Amino acid sequence: MCLRICRTMLGAMWMYVLALVVLYYVVRWFRELERVQDRGSKYVYITGCDSGFGNLLARHLDKCGFCVVAACFTEKGEEELRKSCSSRMSTIHLDVRKQESIDKATAFIKELVGQKGLWAVVNNAGVSLPSAPCDWLSLEDYKSMLTVNLDGVIGVTLSVIPLIKKARGRVVNVASVFGRISPVGGPYCVSKHGVESFNDSLRISMHPFGVKVLCIEPGFFKTGVTDTDLILRNVQMLWERLPKETKDDYGDEYLSKVETMLNKKLSKMSDGDLMKVVSCMEHAISAVHPRTRYSPGWDAKFFWLPLSYAPTCISDYLLLKDIIKPAKMVD
């Protein structure tokens, strides 16, 4: 009798929890539907608009009615955006590695937005190479990527934060799900963990000023970051400069195993629908009540993020299970 009562109470408790979860998501869904007004007077500054997410976002926001300032690294990128977008679109050259380039872009934006201020900055510019086991790399390899992926994000943000505060706008930082967990060697995960940390500290600092700081953490998508040919050329270049001792540790067949793994797994894991990420970016910019974090991609939601919360013994086991084993691996 007692056992039956316990089962009934347990079942009722789970139904109650389930109802609360459903209610939470329904309320959140309705709350997130509301969008900001007067988009035609709101300026959005996006870095890394030559291709990929940044390029697609610039075009999408232009169609949504925002005044977009698209920062490109190449003249070709600027020209293509000007041809395909409305007269509201402004393009500028930006090299996030150089302070003088950041300052020049900021001066242009300050004159453009006037007293209204800047509604949003989207720190999208980034690189993914070099990428390899940590002992293949030098400190300079780390510095070169951190200069773009982390220093660039910080530099661009700090340069326009007075304009963002004036508009009580948003800072949108494009990190990665690999800012939560580090399954690959090299500086990419280090840089994205740094972006996550900067994002969190900035969010707290800017809260009193009514500025929202939001983070995008995509999983695997088919962009230059996941281009198999580029990754393989990078790995080959790094391999050729390794000392003989390190090459012997990994073995002559290591490169061919890397190529097989990339061709077999990376293409299957990468999602071709870039609008999943762009839609999150657009929501962060245009929703009255945006989310603090967005994790576009099924792999991010159902594998990488849960794995980042798992005990280390479990995450290490799953990550090491399919790792390419060096020739001189210790049992």
Side-chain angles (χ1 to χ4, degrees):
M1 184 67 179
C2 290
L3 184 59
R4 186 180 302 171
I5 293 173
C6 288
R7 286 176 178 173
T8 303
M9 291 177 63
L10 188 61
M13 183 185 72
W14 278 112
M15 289 296 292
Y16 179 70
V17 171
L18 180 60
L20 286 177
V21 170
V22 171
L23 178 63
Y24 166 78
Y25 280 105
V26 169
V27 170
R28 189 181 76 166
W29 180 74
F30 274 107
R31 190 170 182 266
E32 291 178 350
L33 289 176
E34 188 179 1
R35 293 296 196 270
V36 296
Q37 302 298 314
D38 198 20
R39 297 182 182 186
S41 66
K42 288 181 167 58
Y43 286 84
V44 181
Y45 174 27
I46 310 168
T47 68
C49 292
D50 295 87
S51 60
F53 299 134
N55 186 275
L56 196 55
L57 177 65
R59 297 170 190 268
H60 181 65
L61 291 183
D62 180 66
K63 290 179 181 177
C64 291
F66 286 96
C67 298
V68 177
V69 181
C72 298
F73 186 66
T74 64
E75 290 184 7
K76 180 182 178 182
E78 290 186 64
E79 185 179 348
E80 289 179 352
L81 277 175
R82 284 196 298 266
K83 285 180 179 178
S84 61
C85 295
S86 73
S87 59
R88 291 187 306 275
M89 170 74 68
S90 301
T91 63
I92 53 174
H93 169 74
L94 178 66
D95 184 345
V96 298
R97 299 170 300 179
K98 299 178 179 179
Q99 187 62 47
E100 60 268 27
S101 181
I102 293 174
D103 292 342
K104 186 176 179 180
T106 303
F108 172 83
I109 293 167
K110 186 175 183 179
E111 184 174 350
L112 186 67
V113 303
Q115 293 303 310
K116 293 187 295 292
L118 180 64
W119 175 248
V121 60
V122 182
N123 286 301
N124 169 73
V127 295
S128 62
L129 300 175
S131 180
C134 294
D135 55 337
W136 290 28
L137 301 167
S138 67
L139 180 58
E140 289 305 313
D141 292 324
Y142 279 80
K143 286 181 177 179
S144 66
M145 188 180 293
L146 290 170
T147 299
V148 177
N149 289 6
L150 181 56
D151 296 351
V153 169
I154 297 171
V156 168
T157 301
L158 296 182
S159 73
V160 296
I161 205 67
L163 301 175
I164 298 282
K165 288 163 70 176
K166 186 177 292 187
R168 297 184 67 185
R170 284 102 191 269
V171 177
V172 182
N173 292 315
V174 182
S176 168
V177 73
F178 289 165
R180 298 287 203 98
I181 189 169
S182 302
V184 295
Y188 185 76
C189 295
V190 176
S191 69
K192 294 303 181 181
H193 275 266
V195 171
E196 292 273 356
S197 179
F198 174 66
N199 183 87
D200 288 350
S201 60
L202 184 69
R203 186 179 65 253
I204 300 301
S205 298
M206 290 297 103
H207 184 269
F209 300 99
V211 172
K212 292 179 169 63
V213 180
L214 316 154
C215 193
I216 314 292
E217 303 169 331
F220 277 108
F221 284 86
K222 289 183 179 178
T223 66
V225 172
T226 56
D227 187 313
T228 303
D229 291 336
L230 288 177
I231 295 172
L232 285 174
R233 285 200 294 271
N234 165 74
V235 171
Q236 181 67 48
M237 179 273 293
L238 293 172
W239 175 264
E240 289 174 356
R241 76 179 194 186
L242 288 177
K244 185 177 183 305
E245 181 183 10
T246 305
K247 287 183 178 180
D248 290 343
D249 286 343
Y250 283 86
D252 294 335
E253 296 181 359
Y254 191 83
L255 278 185
S256 62
K257 291 177 182 178
V258 169
E259 182 175 1
T260 300
M261 183 272 292
L262 288 174
N263 289 325
K264 185 177 179 180
K265 292 189 176 182
L266 190 58
S267 58
K268 291 181 179 179
M269 290 178 65
S270 300
D271 193 330
D273 185 6
L274 303 190
M275 279 305 298
K276 289 179 181 176
V277 178
V278 171
S279 294
C280 290
M281 293 173 165
E282 184 267 328
H283 189 271
I285 293 162
S286 66
V288 174
H289 303 290
R291 300 181 191 178
T292 302
R293 278 186 165 84
Y294 298 81
S295 302
W298 295 115
D299 62 321
K301 289 181 176 69
F302 296 109
F303 183 71
W304 297 114
L305 285 180
L307 193 63
S308 72
Y309 290 109
T312 304
C313 60
I314 294 175
S315 61
D316 280 4
Y317 170 77
L318 292 174
L319 294 175
L320 289 168
K321 186 164 63 73
D322 295 323
I323 195 174
I324 301 172
K325 296 176 175 57
K328 292 186 178 180
M329 183 172 176
V330 178
D331 293 330

